Amino acid sequence: MSVVIETTVDNLVIDLDFENYTIECYNFVKLCRSGFYNYQCFHDLRKNISIEFGDPLFAFNDREDIRVHNTSVEGIIDKDNITPRLIKSTTTRRDMEGSLGDIGFILKSSDTPLIGSQILISLSELPHLYKNTIMFGKLIDTTNANTLAAINNCASDNNLRPTVDIRIKKIHILHDPFPNRQPIPQLYPPLPINDIRLPLPANDIPDGSPIDTYKREIIRKELTLEIIGDIYKAGIKPAENVLFICKLNPLTKAEHIATIFERFGDVLSVEIVRDKKTGNSLGYGFIEFETKEACEQAYSKMDNTLIDDRRIHVDFSQSIAKAF
């Protein structure tokens, strides 16, 4: 069985040893399925040794849905009351040898090996003895090796946190052989906008200057969009001929919007974003014009106007979805 971890560096494909480490694999897969690891930050980068993730509060000070640092899937059965509940490991071993790409749970220090959510990935080319760690899977293929090398080469601060965040976007489960032992809720963590670590500013912009503050804010928003997958890479600019439109009446149709906005210039497309399951309008979308000038004129004239008894809001799009 395998899972794919989408990170802000690149994807990591993990093959899990569910036959020998059933409890560990079940716990990890169900935490992944719940969305528990989404947007979490990698930390404790020890060069050529390991890096960790799985603490939902690390670099996530604004988080309110979870207030525990370590829990198994059994602790999130009630999403309104998440508790630091650990479960007993498959094995009684407390120390295991690992090498590049091995992945394991970090054990809580106690007489009984207990696992929660905290994960270690080996960055060691040679076999290394990891204390209080149960290895239950391994990253596969050469792409993973390149990704791990990039992670290993990241600069970090005195607390071993990478100076530019490495975060998990999402985890995809390619195969799940485990039936749910109990209903597992879906978690929707907020975006860590205020806790994202930014790249260093350009050398020609002095720290503390108004333009430096402005640039940092732009980069912060770009990185947040990159994490949620709305832009391919931070630094790419959104199209200048696309308007974002929201607060739409659920009954408003794309062709109706096109008819209203075409007086400002040729409308190339109108997209209303819909729920993937129900097909119902989510009340927002995008209007693509042929020219930048038409887009600017529509923005200046149409914000806060009534369409189908709803006062809409329009703004210049910050998404680059239409670029791909």
Side-chain angles (χ1 to χ4, degrees):
M1 61 179 296
S2 301
V3 300
V4 179
I5 303 178
E6 281 190 61
T7 79
T8 51
V9 174
D10 207 339
N11 293 348
L12 297 170
V13 183
I14 303 173
D15 188 30
L16 304 179
D17 185 2
F18 69 96
E19 293 181 349
N20 294 313
Y21 298 98
T22 305
I23 294 175
E24 287 78 8
C25 291
Y26 174 86
N27 184 55
F28 181 66
V29 167
K30 299 310 178 183
L31 284 172
C32 293
R33 186 173 292 283
S34 73
F36 178 87
Y37 291 113
N38 291 355
Y39 308 152
Q40 285 192 21
C41 188
F42 284 81
H43 57 90
D44 278 54
L45 172 57
R46 303 176 189 274
K47 299 286 186 179
N48 301 313
I49 298 178
S50 64
I51 193 167
E52 300 175 15
F53 70 88
D55 179 348
L57 296 183
F58 184 89
F60 222 144
N61 294 327
D62 290 342
R63 189 158 194 174
E64 296 180 354
D65 59 328
I66 295 178
R67 301 309 305 167
V68 299
H69 290 278
N70 191 20
T71 184
S72 71
V73 68
E74 293 187 4
I76 65 169
I77 299 305
D78 180 1
K79 69 177 181 179
D80 296 322
N81 184 29
I82 295 177
T83 59
R85 185 173 181 181
L86 306 181
I87 56 178
K88 188 176 179 180
S89 171
T90 301
T91 177
T92 57
R93 296 176 62 185
R94 300 194 59 83
D95 306 327
M96 292 186 72
E97 194 174 78
S99 57
L100 187 66
D102 285 339
I103 182 170
F105 275 112
I106 300 171
L107 299 174
K108 179 178 174 61
S109 297
S110 66
D111 294 335
T112 302
L114 300 174
I115 61 171
S117 58
Q118 296 181 2
I119 296 288
L120 176 146
I121 299 177
S122 172
L123 298 176
S124 175
E125 294 279 358
L126 300 175
H128 182 88
L129 183 63
Y130 292 94
K131 298 284 188 179
N132 296 317
T133 303
I134 299 296
M135 298 297 184
F136 63 93
K138 188 175 184 65
L139 278 69
I140 56 178
D141 77 37
T142 55
T143 302
N144 285 316
N146 295 335
T147 304
L148 290 181
I151 291 173
N152 188 55
N153 291 329
C154 288
S156 58
D157 62 17
N158 292 334
N159 295 318
L160 304 181
R161 177 182 173 183
T163 53
V164 176
D165 272 358
I166 305 170
R167 289 191 183 254
I168 294 173
K169 297 181 181 180
K170 191 174 182 179
I171 300 181
H172 304 275
I173 302 168
L174 303 184
H175 174 56
D176 181 0
F178 304 115
N180 292 337
R181 298 172 186 170
Q182 59 272 316
I184 297 174
Q186 190 68 31
L187 305 178
Y188 298 95
L191 297 176
I193 295 176
N194 295 322
D195 297 307
I196 289 179
R197 279 202 167 173
L198 307 178
L200 294 175
N203 293 331
D204 58 343
I205 300 179
D207 288 340
S209 67
I211 192 170
D212 176 57
T213 302
Y214 176 70
K215 181 175 180 179
R216 284 174 178 270
E217 184 62 24
I218 291 175
I219 296 174
R220 183 181 300 279
K221 291 178 179 178
E222 286 180 341
L223 285 175
T224 304
L225 288 171
E226 182 183 339
I227 286 174
I228 65 174
D230 194 41
I231 66 174
Y232 176 72
K233 193 71 175 176
I236 297 178
K237 295 181 179 179
E240 296 180 333
N241 63 328
V242 177
L243 275 186
F244 171 75
I245 181 171
C246 63
K247 299 184 179 180
L248 292 171
N249 188 315
L251 300 178
T252 299
K253 296 182 178 180
E255 52 267 31
H256 187 190
I257 295 175
T259 300
I260 294 173
F261 279 82
E262 64 185 4
R263 65 190 177 96
F264 302 107
D266 290 340
V267 175
L268 299 182
S269 66
V270 176
E271 176 189 0
I272 295 178
V273 179
R274 298 184 177 278
D275 185 282
K276 292 182 179 180
K277 292 184 178 180
T278 66
N280 295 333
S281 169
L282 295 179
Y284 71 95
F286 302 91
I287 309 169
E288 183 179 11
F289 293 89
E290 185 173 16
T291 65
K292 172 185 174 183
E293 291 72 23
C295 184
E296 291 175 345
Q297 190 175 5
Y299 167 73
S300 65
K301 299 290 186 181
M302 293 301 294
D303 189 38
N304 207 36
T305 59
L306 282 173
I307 295 181
D308 293 336
D309 297 323
R310 292 289 181 90
R311 199 164 292 280
I312 67 165
H313 172 65
V314 297
D315 200 351
F316 294 106
S317 174
Q318 296 302 307
S319 171
I320 64 157
K322 287 188 174 293
F324 298 92

